[in-house]
Amino acid sequence: MSISEVGIYTVEDLHAYREERDDMTVQLIEGELIVSPSPGVAHQVVSGELFAVLRSVVPSHLRVLAAPLDLRAGERTVVQPDLMVVPRSLVDGSEVAQPPVLAVEILSPSSRRTDLVREPEVLGRFGVEHYWVVDPLHPAVRTFRLADGTYESGQIVAGDDVFETEEPFPVSFRPADLSR
């Protein structure tokens, strides 16, 4: 299969395309293949630091998982949030097939539109109650909470200000600390 082919793709098409392009991140959103370069260093630094923060405070009935790991959010939608908080009982399988408690995306220049528009639309319909977007270049965290099937924007905390929340579990950190 070539990326120049136009159409509505299936999960099987996604897997076949990934076999051809292991240098790219490939997701499937409502039948459309979304192809982007692998994340850069700044993205991975923030991902690792936030993973450590979340892992240190996540309640014992939950666990933090990091990409690459598929979240099957529908028959024609498979995305890879950078971080997911899921029930601790999830210990096997090739994908997550139930809504995580929290999905986190770390922005990259190539994925901004997907992370801010497309992915929240499908995650909201899938029932992911909490969604966070982290900007590694201008350190900030923006929260979204599911209400009546769509996300409502919550707090936006930037730089050295303290991000603090009780939902979906208590956690606090400074966005700037994630990239130091």
Side-chain angles (χ1 to χ4, degrees):
M1 174 178 52
S2 164
I3 191 64
S4 62
E5 295 177 33
V6 175
I8 302 298
Y9 295 98
T10 65
V11 172
E12 291 75 26
D13 294 329
L14 170 70
H15 293 296
Y17 189 72
R18 282 182 178 164
E19 291 290 321
E20 295 175 19
R21 296 301 305 259
D22 63 356
D23 61 329
M24 302 290 235
T25 299
V26 185
Q27 301 180 94
L28 180 68
I29 297 182
E30 297 176 332
E32 179 184 350
L33 286 175
I34 308 296
V35 182
S36 56
S38 295
V41 173
H43 178 284
Q44 292 304 91
V45 166
V46 169
S47 179
E49 293 298 319
L50 186 54
F51 179 92
V53 167
L54 294 177
R55 188 164 186 246
S56 72
V57 299
V58 73
S60 61
H61 68 282
L62 299 172
R63 74 173 69 239
V64 184
L65 302 175
L69 177 62
D70 287 340
L71 172 62
R72 188 157 182 172
E75 200 53 40
R76 295 190 183 273
T77 300
V78 177
V79 294
Q80 290 186 347
D82 292 306
L83 299 171
M84 289 186 277
V85 176
V86 300
R88 183 160 288 282
S89 60
L90 181 63
V91 294
D92 61 13
S94 62
E95 63 188 11
V96 175
Q98 64 186 31
V101 172
L102 169 66
V104 179
E105 279 298 344
I106 300 160
L107 297 177
S108 294
S110 63
S111 68
R112 290 184 79 83
R113 182 177 181 280
T114 299
D115 296 343
L116 292 170
V117 178
R118 302 284 313 277
E119 200 161 326
E121 289 172 354
V122 298
L123 292 179
R125 281 196 299 274
F126 188 55
V128 178
E129 191 170 345
H130 299 276
Y131 181 66
W132 297 354
V133 177
V134 180
D135 188 336
L137 299 179
H138 308 284
V141 177
R142 181 175 183 178
T143 66
F144 297 88
R145 183 178 170 124
L146 195 60
D148 299 323
T150 59
Y151 284 118
E152 291 181 350
S153 182
Q155 60 179 321
I156 300 172
V157 178
D160 286 316
D161 290 343
V162 176
F163 169 78
E164 194 166 17
T165 186
E166 294 296 315
E167 294 185 13
F169 45 83
V171 62
S172 68
F173 57 89
R174 288 179 172 79
D177 290 343
L178 299 176
S179 57
R180 291 189 175 136

